Amino acid sequence: LTVVFIGDGASAGNYGYTNSGYSVYEEENERLTESLRTKVSAIKSLSIEIGTEVKNQNKMLSEMDSDFDSAGGLLGATMGRLRTLSRGSQTKLLCYMMLFALFVFFVIYWIIKLR
């Protein structure tokens, strides 16, 4: 805001502004005020959008946290079963692994043969 004071002897009618410069400064102030109002409005809408995005991201993180917890529980149960299986006879485990390896070998052989 730019104000030009005439001095102590200014008349009360023009409130200390010079008549020639008052309208120029007033127009400049109005233009700057409108520009500032536009920028504040843009910042306000941007901050509202950021707040909405943060809420959505927090919701998604919360859902991911519950998904990871359930996956961790499933993994823990699987590890428990694997420990139980490994406590059994080693021969049985070795047979299962060999059968699985043969199965994978035949599947790969069949896929290559089809090409």
Side-chain angles (χ1 to χ4, degrees), residues 78-91 93:
T78 304
M79 291 301 291
R81 287 187 200 121
L82 186 61
R83 273 190 222 107
T84 303
L85 184 63
S86 68
R87 286 185 195 140
S89 73
Q90 297 296 326
T91 309
L93 180 62

Side-chain angles (χ1 to χ4, degrees), residues 52-63:
T52 304
E53 184 65 25
V54 165
K55 287 178 186 175
N56 290 338
Q57 294 292 327
N58 282 337
K59 181 181 174 187
M60 191 172 17
L61 283 174
S62 167
E63 291 171 358

